[in-house]
mmCIF file of all heavy atoms in Angstrom:
data_model
loop_
_atom_site.group_PDB
_atom_site.id
_atom_site.type_symbol
_atom_site.label_atom_id
_atom_site.label_comp_id
_atom_site.label_asym_id
_atom_site.label_seq_id
_atom_site.Cartn_x
_atom_site.Cartn_y
_atom_site.Cartn_z
ATOM 1 N N ARG A 451 136.473 69.058 46.290
ATOM 2 C CA ARG A 451 135.602 69.970 47.024
ATOM 3 C C ARG A 451 135.375 69.349 48.355
ATOM 4 O O ARG A 451 135.215 70.119 49.403
ATOM 5 C CB ARG A 451 134.243 69.928 46.290
ATOM 6 C CG ARG A 451 134.400 70.627 45.022
ATOM 7 C CD ARG A 451 133.070 70.609 44.117
ATOM 8 N NE ARG A 451 131.986 71.193 44.740
ATOM 9 C CZ ARG A 451 131.492 72.487 44.490
ATOM 10 N NH1 ARG A 451 132.164 73.184 43.521
ATOM 11 N NH2 ARG A 451 130.515 73.009 45.104
ATOM 12 N N GLY A 452 135.168 67.928 48.618
ATOM 13 C CA GLY A 452 135.015 67.454 49.823
ATOM 14 C C GLY A 452 133.637 67.706 50.481
ATOM 15 O O GLY A 452 133.013 68.548 50.272
ATOM 16 N N GLY A 453 133.360 66.604 51.431
ATOM 17 C CA GLY A 453 132.046 66.812 52.107
ATOM 18 C C GLY A 453 131.971 65.685 53.096
ATOM 19 O O GLY A 453 132.440 64.686 52.988
ATOM 20 N N VAL A 454 131.134 65.940 54.109
ATOM 21 C CA VAL A 454 130.954 65.118 55.210
ATOM 22 C C VAL A 454 129.485 64.499 55.197
ATOM 23 O O VAL A 454 128.525 65.309 55.052
ATOM 24 C CB VAL A 454 131.168 65.813 56.558
ATOM 25 C CG1 VAL A 454 130.796 64.842 57.699
ATOM 26 C CG2 VAL A 454 132.661 66.214 56.774
ATOM 27 N N VAL A 455 129.315 63.218 55.388
ATOM 28 C CA VAL A 455 128.005 62.554 55.367
ATOM 29 C C VAL A 455 127.977 61.773 56.681
ATOM 30 O O VAL A 455 128.755 60.842 57.015
ATOM 31 C CB VAL A 455 127.827 61.666 54.153
ATOM 32 C CG1 VAL A 455 126.484 61.061 54.201
ATOM 33 C CG2 VAL A 455 128.158 62.387 52.937
ATOM 34 N N VAL A 456 126.908 62.077 57.498
ATOM 35 C CA VAL A 456 126.559 61.428 58.660
ATOM 36 C C VAL A 456 125.637 60.217 58.404
ATOM 37 O O VAL A 456 124.566 60.412 57.804
ATOM 38 C CB VAL A 456 125.917 62.340 59.780
ATOM 39 C CG1 VAL A 456 125.736 61.504 61.083
ATOM 40 C CG2 VAL A 456 126.983 63.433 60.098
ATOM 41 N N CYS A 457 125.984 59.020 58.660
ATOM 42 C CA CYS A 457 125.321 57.810 58.183
ATOM 43 C C CYS A 457 124.765 56.997 59.420
ATOM 44 O O CYS A 457 125.608 56.747 60.301
ATOM 45 C CB CYS A 457 126.135 56.969 57.244
ATOM 46 S SG CYS A 457 127.087 57.853 56.012
ATOM 47 N N LYS A 458 123.569 56.609 59.347
ATOM 48 C CA LYS A 458 123.068 55.709 60.319
ATOM 49 C C LYS A 458 122.387 54.410 59.711
ATOM 50 O O LYS A 458 121.627 54.572 58.875
ATOM 51 C CB LYS A 458 121.969 56.364 61.259
ATOM 52 C CG LYS A 458 121.374 55.567 62.417
ATOM 53 C CD LYS A 458 120.482 56.231 63.147
ATOM 54 C CE LYS A 458 119.993 55.431 64.321
ATOM 55 N NZ LYS A 458 118.896 56.145 65.185
ATOM 56 N N ILE A 459 122.923 53.257 60.109
ATOM 57 C CA ILE A 459 122.522 52.017 59.504
ATOM 58 C C ILE A 459 121.215 51.596 60.325
ATOM 59 O O ILE A 459 121.217 51.484 61.546
ATOM 60 C CB ILE A 459 123.572 50.917 59.684
ATOM 61 C CG1 ILE A 459 124.870 51.504 59.208
ATOM 62 C CG2 ILE A 459 123.063 49.710 58.935
ATOM 63 C CD1 ILE A 459 124.916 52.069 57.785
ATOM 64 N N ASP A 460 120.117 51.242 59.615
ATOM 65 C CA ASP A 460 118.798 50.963 60.065
ATOM 66 C C ASP A 460 118.306 49.660 59.354
ATOM 67 O O ASP A 460 117.534 49.890 58.416
ATOM 68 C CB ASP A 460 117.970 52.132 60.091
ATOM 69 C CG ASP A 460 116.605 51.656 60.636
ATOM 70 O OD1 ASP A 460 116.436 50.735 61.355
ATOM 71 O OD2 ASP A 460 115.606 52.493 60.451
ATOM 72 N N GLY A 461 118.798 48.566 59.601
ATOM 73 C CA GLY A 461 118.498 47.298 58.856
ATOM 74 C C GLY A 461 118.812 47.361 57.458
ATOM 75 O O GLY A 461 120.077 47.425 57.197
ATOM 76 N N ASP A 462 117.906 47.324 56.565
ATOM 77 C CA ASP A 462 118.331 47.361 55.084
ATOM 78 C C ASP A 462 118.229 48.754 54.542
ATOM 79 O O ASP A 462 118.202 48.991 53.264
ATOM 80 C CB ASP A 462 117.525 46.398 54.294
ATOM 81 C CG ASP A 462 115.928 46.839 54.320
ATOM 82 O OD1 ASP A 462 115.587 47.666 55.021
ATOM 83 O OD2 ASP A 462 115.215 46.136 53.507
ATOM 84 N N ARG A 463 118.215 49.775 55.467
ATOM 85 C CA ARG A 463 118.157 51.151 55.101
ATOM 86 C C ARG A 463 119.433 51.833 55.633
ATOM 87 O O ARG A 463 120.014 51.559 56.630
ATOM 88 C CB ARG A 463 116.924 51.802 55.552
ATOM 89 C CG ARG A 463 115.628 51.216 55.108
ATOM 90 C CD ARG A 463 115.344 51.026 53.657
ATOM 91 N NE ARG A 463 115.024 52.467 53.248
ATOM 92 C CZ ARG A 463 114.673 52.664 51.869
ATOM 93 N NH1 ARG A 463 114.740 51.588 50.993
ATOM 94 N NH2 ARG A 463 114.445 53.852 51.460
ATOM 95 N N VAL A 464 119.762 53.036 54.955
ATOM 96 C CA VAL A 464 120.820 53.832 55.498
ATOM 97 C C VAL A 464 120.210 55.237 55.610
ATOM 98 O O VAL A 464 119.646 55.867 54.607
ATOM 99 C CB VAL A 464 122.126 53.806 54.561
ATOM 100 C CG1 VAL A 464 123.163 54.741 55.178
ATOM 101 C CG2 VAL A 464 122.567 52.379 54.463
ATOM 102 N N HIS A 465 120.390 55.971 56.703
ATOM 103 C CA HIS A 465 119.955 57.223 56.902
ATOM 104 C C HIS A 465 121.240 58.130 56.719
ATOM 105 O O HIS A 465 122.265 58.043 57.233
ATOM 106 C CB HIS A 465 119.419 57.539 58.219
ATOM 107 C CG HIS A 465 118.119 56.810 58.543
ATOM 108 N ND1 HIS A 465 117.067 57.184 59.105
ATOM 109 C CD2 HIS A 465 117.935 55.501 58.411
ATOM 110 C CE1 HIS A 465 116.148 56.400 59.208
ATOM 111 N NE2 HIS A 465 116.632 55.196 58.742
ATOM 112 N N LEU A 466 121.215 59.092 55.645
ATOM 113 C CA LEU A 466 122.202 59.936 55.217
ATOM 114 C C LEU A 466 121.833 61.459 55.622
ATOM 115 O O LEU A 466 120.901 61.884 55.092
ATOM 116 C CB LEU A 466 122.486 59.883 53.719
ATOM 117 C CG LEU A 466 122.637 58.522 53.265
ATOM 118 C CD1 LEU A 466 122.760 58.537 51.692
ATOM 119 C CD2 LEU A 466 123.909 57.939 53.746
ATOM 120 N N LYS A 467 122.661 62.086 56.493
ATOM 121 C CA LYS A 467 122.248 63.360 56.921
ATOM 122 C C LYS A 467 123.367 64.364 56.386
ATOM 123 O O LYS A 467 124.583 64.197 56.514
ATOM 124 C CB LYS A 467 122.422 63.365 58.564
ATOM 125 C CG LYS A 467 122.024 64.822 59.190
ATOM 126 C CD LYS A 467 122.073 64.494 60.689
ATOM 127 C CE LYS A 467 121.629 65.868 61.337
ATOM 128 N NZ LYS A 467 121.538 65.774 62.798
ATOM 129 N N GLY A 468 122.840 65.493 55.934
ATOM 130 C CA GLY A 468 123.703 66.453 55.375
ATOM 131 C C GLY A 468 122.981 67.819 55.289
ATOM 132 O O GLY A 468 121.687 67.925 55.181
ATOM 133 N N GLU A 469 123.681 68.893 54.926
ATOM 134 C CA GLU A 469 123.103 70.222 54.737
ATOM 135 C C GLU A 469 123.278 70.504 53.318
ATOM 136 O O GLU A 469 123.918 69.860 52.459
ATOM 137 C CB GLU A 469 123.768 71.340 55.588
ATOM 138 C CG GLU A 469 123.466 71.004 57.076
ATOM 139 C CD GLU A 469 124.007 72.180 57.953
ATOM 140 O OE1 GLU A 469 123.759 73.375 57.596
ATOM 141 O OE2 GLU A 469 124.643 71.850 59.099
ATOM 142 N N ALA A 470 122.576 71.751 52.744
ATOM 143 C CA ALA A 470 122.774 71.996 51.478
ATOM 144 C C ALA A 470 122.658 73.620 51.458
ATOM 145 O O ALA A 470 122.089 74.294 52.309
ATOM 146 C CB ALA A 470 121.651 71.522 50.601
ATOM 147 N N VAL A 471 123.278 74.192 50.323
ATOM 148 C CA VAL A 471 123.259 75.639 50.034
ATOM 149 C C VAL A 471 122.875 75.934 48.739
ATOM 150 O O VAL A 471 123.317 75.316 47.688
ATOM 151 C CB VAL A 471 124.672 76.147 50.323
ATOM 152 C CG1 VAL A 471 124.702 77.651 50.230
ATOM 153 C CG2 VAL A 471 125.137 75.648 51.692
ATOM 154 N N LEU A 472 122.035 77.000 48.487
ATOM 155 C CA LEU A 472 121.695 77.485 47.269
ATOM 156 C C LEU A 472 122.779 78.271 46.656
ATOM 157 O O LEU A 472 123.245 79.208 47.126
ATOM 158 C CB LEU A 472 120.400 78.256 47.322
ATOM 159 C CG LEU A 472 119.925 78.980 46.019
ATOM 160 C CD1 LEU A 472 119.420 78.070 45.068
ATOM 161 C CD2 LEU A 472 118.928 80.101 46.397
ATOM 162 N N TYR A 473 123.009 77.852 45.381
ATOM 163 C CA TYR A 473 124.043 78.654 44.504
ATOM 164 C C TYR A 473 123.357 79.553 43.487
ATOM 165 O O TYR A 473 123.686 80.598 43.436
ATOM 166 C CB TYR A 473 124.969 77.604 43.928
ATOM 167 C CG TYR A 473 125.946 78.335 42.775
ATOM 168 C CD1 TYR A 473 126.885 79.307 43.207
ATOM 169 C CD2 TYR A 473 125.815 78.165 41.377
ATOM 170 C CE1 TYR A 473 127.606 79.901 42.401
ATOM 171 C CE2 TYR A 473 126.604 78.713 40.447
ATOM 172 C CZ TYR A 473 127.611 79.671 40.914
ATOM 173 O OH TYR A 473 128.325 80.283 40.067
ATOM 174 N N LEU A 474 122.444 78.935 42.750
ATOM 175 C CA LEU A 474 121.721 79.691 41.884
ATOM 176 C C LEU A 474 120.355 79.340 41.553
ATOM 177 O O LEU A 474 119.902 78.225 41.911
ATOM 178 C CB LEU A 474 122.476 79.896 40.450
ATOM 179 C CG LEU A 474 122.556 78.693 39.520
ATOM 180 C CD1 LEU A 474 121.328 78.481 38.799
ATOM 181 C CD2 LEU A 474 123.765 78.802 38.593
ATOM 182 N N LYS A 475 119.439 80.193 41.122
ATOM 183 C CA LYS A 475 118.075 79.806 40.590
ATOM 184 C C LYS A 475 117.859 80.651 39.322
ATOM 185 O O LYS A 475 118.362 81.879 39.175
ATOM 186 C CB LYS A 475 117.078 80.044 41.654
ATOM 187 C CG LYS A 475 116.920 81.360 42.156
ATOM 188 C CD LYS A 475 115.763 81.506 43.207
ATOM 189 C CE LYS A 475 115.610 82.912 43.977
ATOM 190 N NZ LYS A 475 114.608 82.868 44.879
ATOM 191 N N GLY A 476 117.163 80.042 38.371
ATOM 192 C CA GLY A 476 116.947 80.750 37.113
ATOM 193 C C GLY A 476 115.972 79.943 36.225
ATOM 194 O O GLY A 476 115.157 79.212 36.799
ATOM 195 N N GLU A 477 116.126 80.183 34.956
ATOM 196 C CA GLU A 477 115.196 79.486 34.018
ATOM 197 C C GLU A 477 115.878 78.824 32.860
ATOM 198 O O GLU A 477 116.990 79.452 32.480
ATOM 199 C CB GLU A 477 114.208 80.509 33.490
ATOM 200 C CG GLU A 477 113.094 81.050 34.476
ATOM 201 C CD GLU A 477 112.178 82.058 33.700
ATOM 202 O OE1 GLU A 477 112.463 82.601 32.792
ATOM 203 O OE2 GLU A 477 111.041 82.150 34.305
ATOM 204 N N ILE A 478 115.471 77.799 32.468
ATOM 205 C CA ILE A 478 115.979 77.119 31.225
ATOM 206 C C ILE A 478 115.057 77.428 30.100
ATOM 207 O O ILE A 478 113.746 77.451 30.247
ATOM 208 C CB ILE A 478 116.053 75.681 31.357
ATOM 209 C CG1 ILE A 478 116.905 75.228 32.579
ATOM 210 C CG2 ILE A 478 116.485 74.975 30.109
ATOM 211 C CD1 ILE A 478 116.816 73.713 32.848
ATOM 212 N N VAL A 479 115.456 77.830 28.958
ATOM 213 C CA VAL A 479 114.649 78.125 27.670
ATOM 214 C C VAL A 479 114.866 76.998 26.736
ATOM 215 O O VAL A 479 116.037 76.844 26.253
ATOM 216 C CB VAL A 479 114.924 79.461 27.200
ATOM 217 C CG1 VAL A 479 114.013 79.680 26.010
ATOM 218 C CG2 VAL A 479 114.770 80.530 28.194
ATOM 219 N N ILE A 480 113.929 76.205 26.520
ATOM 220 C CA ILE A 480 113.936 75.049 25.530
ATOM 221 C C ILE A 480 112.868 75.122 24.481
ATOM 222 O O ILE A 480 111.861 75.808 24.725
ATOM 223 C CB ILE A 480 114.061 73.710 26.263
ATOM 224 C CG1 ILE A 480 112.631 73.462 26.922
ATOM 225 C CG2 ILE A 480 115.133 73.650 27.260
ATOM 226 C CD1 ILE A 480 112.516 72.138 27.578
ATOM 227 N N PRO A 481 113.100 74.465 23.448
ATOM 228 C CA PRO A 481 111.942 74.474 22.409
ATOM 229 C C PRO A 481 110.700 73.822 22.976
ATOM 230 O O PRO A 481 110.745 72.859 23.837
ATOM 231 C CB PRO A 481 112.444 73.480 21.383
ATOM 232 C CG PRO A 481 113.938 73.606 21.394
ATOM 233 C CD PRO A 481 114.261 73.679 22.857
ATOM 234 N N ALA A 482 109.517 74.377 22.688
ATOM 235 C CA ALA A 482 108.172 73.831 23.172
ATOM 236 C C ALA A 482 107.839 72.438 22.531
ATOM 237 O O ALA A 482 108.233 72.365 21.334
ATOM 238 C CB ALA A 482 107.125 74.883 23.077
#
Side-chain angles (χ1 to χ4, degrees):
R451 293 174 66 99
V454 174
V455 184
V456 179
C457 312
K458 183 178 181 181
I459 313 307
D460 182 14
D462 63 354
R463 309 293 292 183
V464 180
H465 299 225
L466 307 170
K467 182 177 179 179
E469 296 187 43
V471 182
L472 174 69
Y473 170 65
L474 69 79
K475 58 181 178 179
E477 290 182 336
I478 301 171
V479 181
I480 62 172

